[in-house]
Amino acid sequence: MLYYFFLIRSWSYWKNSMAFSSWSKREDKQFENALVIYPDGTPNRWSLIADQVPGRTQGEVWERYRTLLADLEMIEKGAVEIPPYADDGREEEEEEEEERSIPARTRARAEERRRGVPWTEEEHRLFLEGLAKYGKGDWRNISRWSVKTRTPTQVASHAQKYFIRRSQNANNGGGGKESKRKSIHDITNP
């Protein structure tokens, strides 16, 4: 039900009728919330809803409700084209307030690149078994059935580094000049 009110509210801003343009986004939101708080059958419903929308009378909220019901009926019949949505339905003030509530230092830290967790020897051995079983390129199955602790993207990245290391070792003559650092990618047998 709330989805329909959002849809109608969005449509109401899209079309340019006086009945809709005279209500602000804030008033619409207050009206929608009041409709949820005071459902059908609530005694003095329209008076209570009008109290939740400052500056609006009982007659204005009743008329607004009737207009919304008529629009809802038109939408359900398919007589109204759904408008293009430019936002996620939140008011700009809410978004700005949420942004201000997050300290700048925390926002910067959250935007920093997260570093990965190094692969263990056991994970690498499971990777090699999966590579032998499923072949090069089937990272999803290797992830799903062999290295269950890693995502397909992580498996693909690991494989890329593994194959680069293998080709570097092969180019060095297979044991002539050792690389300076040992790597988990030097393990070639499962």
Side-chain angles (χ1 to χ4, degrees):
M1 183 76 166
L2 212 47
Y3 166 76
Y4 285 119
F5 287 117
F6 172 72
L7 183 65
I8 291 168
R9 182 177 60 163
S10 298
W11 181 49
S12 70
Y13 291 112
W14 183 60
K15 70 184 206 176
N16 291 322
S17 72
M18 284 304 291
F20 282 92
S21 62
S22 64
W23 282 66
S24 70
K25 282 187 177 184
R26 178 172 294 233
E27 287 174 319
D28 267 342
K29 191 65 177 168
Q30 291 168 335
F31 177 65
E32 291 171 17
N33 290 336
L35 286 172
V36 172
I37 294 168
Y38 304 110
D40 283 334
T42 303
N44 301 321
R45 181 182 192 204
W46 301 110
S47 175
L48 294 169
I49 290 174
D51 290 343
Q52 297 293 314
V53 186
R56 294 294 177 174
T57 67
Q58 184 177 343
E60 287 174 315
V61 295
W62 169 246
E63 189 58 39
R64 181 69 168 176
Y65 182 72
R66 287 186 48 217
T67 304
L68 287 174
L69 286 180
D71 287 343
L72 178 60
E73 187 177 322
M74 296 295 284
I75 290 169
E76 287 179 342
K77 286 181 180 177
V80 176
E81 184 179 322
I82 305 298
Y85 296 108
D87 63 1
D88 63 359
R90 295 190 313 166
E91 294 183 31
E92 290 177 30
E93 295 168 11
E94 290 176 9
E95 292 173 4
E96 289 171 5
E97 185 177 319
E98 184 178 299
E99 186 69 26
R100 284 190 303 267
S101 69
I102 301 171
R105 216 173 57 215
T106 304
R107 278 194 307 266
R109 206 175 313 133
E111 293 170 5
E112 286 179 12
R113 183 171 172 247
R114 289 178 31 204
R115 296 286 175 194
V117 177
W119 282 57
T120 64
E121 278 191 40
E122 179 61 24
E123 286 176 319
H124 181 68
R125 290 185 195 284
L126 291 170
F127 162 76
L128 292 174
E129 289 173 8
L131 189 61
K133 186 173 184 177
Y134 299 107
K136 186 176 180 179
D138 196 355
W139 314 130
R140 180 178 290 165
N141 277 329
I142 293 172
S143 169
R144 184 176 293 158
W145 305 113
S146 298
V147 190
K148 297 178 181 178
T149 57
R150 300 292 177 160
T151 67
T153 302
Q154 289 171 321
V155 170
S157 175
H158 184 75
Q160 182 180 29
K161 294 170 194 166
Y162 171 72
F163 289 117
I164 288 171
R165 182 71 173 215
R166 272 191 39 193
S167 88
Q168 286 173 348
N169 287 345
N171 290 341
N172 288 339
K177 182 180 176 186
E178 289 288 322
S179 60
K180 293 179 182 178
R181 291 179 57 182
K182 294 294 178 192
S183 168
I184 195 168
H185 301 293
D186 294 330
I187 301 171
T188 57
N189 296 326

